[in-house]
Amino acid sequence: MYSHEDLGRLQGQSLRMQGWIRRQTFSPDDKKTLRRFSSWEVSELIFRINQSTFRGKLAADPNLPLGEVEEDGRQRWFSLDEINELRRRIRVNRKSLLPPRPEGKRAIRAAIANFKGGAGKSTVALHFAHAAALDGYRVLAVDFDPQATLSHSMGLSDVGEDHTVWGIMARDLERETDRMNAASEGAESGTALPRRKLPPSIRDLGLGPLRPADFIKPTAWSTIDIIPSCANAAFVEFASAQYRHLNPEWTFFAAVSRFLDSLPDDAYDLILFDCPPAIGYQSMNAVFAADVLYIPSGPGYWEYDSTTSFIGQLAEALGDLSDGFENFPTGKIALPKRFADIRFLMTRYEPSNELHQAMLSAFRQVFGDRMAEHPIELTRAVEQSGRFLSSIYEIDYREMTRGTWRRARATFDRAYEEFRGNLLAAWETLEDEV
């Protein structure tokens, strides 16, 4: 017979192994660091200019960052900060290398969601975040998944549940209840619950006074921040049900959206959500806050079946919110919830596999232009990046054959380029949506 104590013991053993894996994967001080990028990568893969043009720009202005030179003098290697400084200062054919961003708009929010486990949500979120950072965008990643794969891949493991999405939701409950109390005190008849209805177990957490910055953590990428998750945040589903009982008028699904509303519009360019494999309080917060919904799916029939179920249950859940909370405040995003764009993305695709070809054709037939044109292909380098908690962008191409690395990077580059194009089109409509 096995009890919770046995489960705790097994977790302890697993945590010790997790620590060993992190030491093998990251730097000796157990902290993830970001590698430098070669002048070949910077010119041809990041800036998309000829190497000779790039070398000419560096030679013409000795005040530009020059990176670090290899011992044989053949290649320069640049940090991400140096790359962004070059991006700000170099012009090619009188054109800026800065990425496009609609003027006067807040950051656009994209949720990577599907309740099928193994659909590639965290892999897609990680690679899109890194690709966007190399593209010059400032990114905030929000990990809604208690499995915390995205957080671990970003180098964060020692995370307390108070500083996850659960903490944001508990903080929002306290603040929204106080706001309702204050509103009812100023009216002859109010419907807000009295302050005492929130028990000390919530008030004593001390989350109410926390600033947004207290939940946001830096990563090894200087232009990517993250609101991390952890295994202990799994109880958010149970806690949220209790919170709704304490204050039935609390619009629980808008907690994260209100949190993001409080950030300066120009603090980030892209806010990217990695959702849990379930429809619950956390995932509903993610999809409600999102402007764009990306739904990844593997190439099998069961994944197609699960994706079909997911969009049906999500439609029903969003419909219930629209009917039950239409007269309650929800921040900048109003009910009924509308997305600026919805896309389906096939992952783990093998072009030579006839079943995969047939399933991609079926997805395209059903979802039409909502289906992303470029699937994420399954390659050996992509599998390796997952094992080492890194994206293909973080792996040094010298660790494998350059052709293998290029094929893996190319599949994510194509998917990201399409993702960026969809975001830019949706970005222009934000004023009509908020």
Side-chain angles (χ1 to χ4, degrees):
M1 303 295 287
Y2 299 92
S3 69
H4 64 280
E5 294 177 347
D6 298 292
L7 290 173
R9 177 178 53 80
L10 293 171
Q11 186 207 24
Q13 294 174 194
S14 182
L15 287 173
R16 287 191 290 274
M17 175 58 72
Q18 185 184 71
W20 181 85
I21 293 173
R22 284 178 59 80
R23 288 191 294 274
Q24 306 305 310
T25 304
F26 300 153
S27 58
D29 61 357
D30 200 29
K31 182 179 180 181
K32 188 169 188 175
T33 57
L34 180 61
R35 69 178 179 91
R36 286 179 170 263
F37 298 85
S38 69
S39 54
W40 165 68
E41 291 177 274
V42 174
S43 59
E44 296 198 359
L45 300 182
I46 298 177
F47 291 164
R48 309 292 175 89
I49 61 176
N50 188 277
Q51 286 192 70
S52 60
T53 301
F54 183 53
R55 287 194 294 267
K57 294 291 183 181
L58 294 180
D61 187 352
N63 293 319
L64 290 174
L66 299 178
E68 294 181 357
V69 183
E70 289 181 341
E71 291 183 3
D72 59 11
R74 295 175 57 192
Q75 192 83 265
R76 292 182 182 274
W77 294 79
F78 296 85
S79 69
L80 179 61
D81 288 337
E82 289 172 332
I83 291 171
N84 283 327
E85 180 65 17
L86 291 168
R87 190 191 304 278
R88 285 188 289 269
R89 296 172 59 181
I90 290 179
R91 299 182 72 86
V92 178
N93 297 326
R94 299 183 179 180
K95 293 183 179 180
S96 171
L97 295 177
L98 292 171
R101 190 193 198 285
E103 187 175 355
K105 303 288 184 71
R106 62 163 171 80
I108 191 164
R109 309 169 187 175
I112 314 297
N114 194 331
F115 66 30
K116 177 71 172 68
K121 294 183 293 294
S122 297
T123 298
V124 170
L126 180 70
H127 281 82
F128 280 1
H130 289 171
L134 288 177
D135 208 13
Y137 290 113
R138 298 158 300 166
V139 181
L140 174 63
V142 186
D143 193 350
F144 286 83
D145 190 350
Q147 296 177 88
T149 301
L150 182 63
S151 299
H152 295 162
S153 298
M154 289 286 189
L156 283 82
S157 62
D158 187 17
V159 177
E161 61 267 23
D162 288 359
H163 293 85
T164 66
V165 168
W166 170 79
I168 289 174
M169 293 179 68
R171 171 182 178 268
D172 185 77
L173 169 68
E174 184 173 342
R175 290 190 164 206
E176 281 295 286
T177 301
D178 289 346
R179 181 188 63 78
M180 294 175 188
N181 289 340
S184 64
E185 289 172 2
E188 292 184 2
S189 61
T191 58
L193 295 176
R195 184 180 182 89
R196 64 180 181 272
K197 290 294 184 179
L198 289 187
S201 60
I202 295 176
R203 293 284 183 188
D204 293 349
L205 291 172
L207 298 175
L210 291 183
R211 304 163 301 163
D214 294 323
F215 295 92
I216 298 174
K217 307 300 179 186
T219 72
W221 293 66
S222 58
T223 52
I224 300 179
D225 293 334
I226 187 171
I227 297 174
S229 186
C230 67
N232 288 347
F235 71 88
V236 69
E237 299 302 318
F238 304 100
S240 298
Q242 176 194 12
Y243 297 163
R244 288 190 64 191
H245 175 73
L246 292 171
N247 187 345
E249 294 182 336
W250 174 51
T251 48
F252 64 93
F253 54 89
V256 172
S257 183
R258 280 189 288 264
F259 174 87
L260 297 176
D261 289 347
S262 69
L263 301 179
D265 287 346
D266 60 352
Y268 299 98
D269 304 305
L270 169 63
I271 302 178
L272 198 58
F273 306 148
D274 183 22
C275 299
I279 293 181
Y281 292 100
Q282 293 192 83
S283 55
M284 289 307 296
N285 262 269
V287 297
F288 182 79
D291 304 302
V292 172
L293 182 62
Y294 248 66
I295 304 173
S297 174
Y301 171 76
W302 295 117
E303 286 132 323
Y304 169 77
D305 185 62
S306 177
T307 297
T308 302
S309 298
F310 169 72
I311 58 177
Q313 293 186 32
L314 183 59
E316 184 176 347
L318 290 174
D320 289 344
L321 293 183
S322 297
D323 292 337
F325 289 92
E326 65 272 21
N327 296 319
F328 289 85
T330 56
K332 293 181 180 179
I333 295 181
L335 290 170
K337 170 63 187 175
R338 292 182 174 89
F339 298 100
D341 198 2
I342 297 175
R343 299 281 169 162
F344 296 84
L345 173 66
M346 182 163 286
T347 59
R348 305 196 323 275
Y349 178 71
E350 298 177 43
S352 61
N353 188 309
E354 292 185 0
L355 174 61
H356 292 191
Q357 295 173 18
M359 290 307 303
L360 180 57
S361 177
F363 269 83
R364 286 173 172 165
Q365 183 176 351
V366 172
F367 299 119
D369 61 0
R370 296 303 91 200
M371 188 69 194
E373 180 180 354
H374 300 290
I376 303 294
E377 296 181 14
L378 180 64
T379 70
R380 186 167 60 87
V382 171
E383 289 184 312
Q384 182 173 331
S385 71
R387 287 198 299 272
F388 290 99
L389 297 176
S390 300
S391 75
I392 193 66
Y393 300 105
E394 293 178 299
I395 295 177
D396 193 321
Y397 58 82
R398 295 171 297 181
E399 296 179 11
M400 60 186 73
T401 64
R402 186 178 292 198
T404 299
W405 183 86
R406 282 295 300 267
R407 283 192 297 275
R409 168 153 182 165
T411 188
F412 283 107
D413 282 349
R414 288 191 295 267
Y416 168 72
E417 286 295 325
E418 185 177 1
F419 174 70
R420 186 181 79 161
N422 294 333
L423 285 191
L424 288 171
W427 218 337
E428 294 287 356
T429 71
L430 283 190
E431 287 184 349
D432 297 329
E433 297 293 324
V434 300

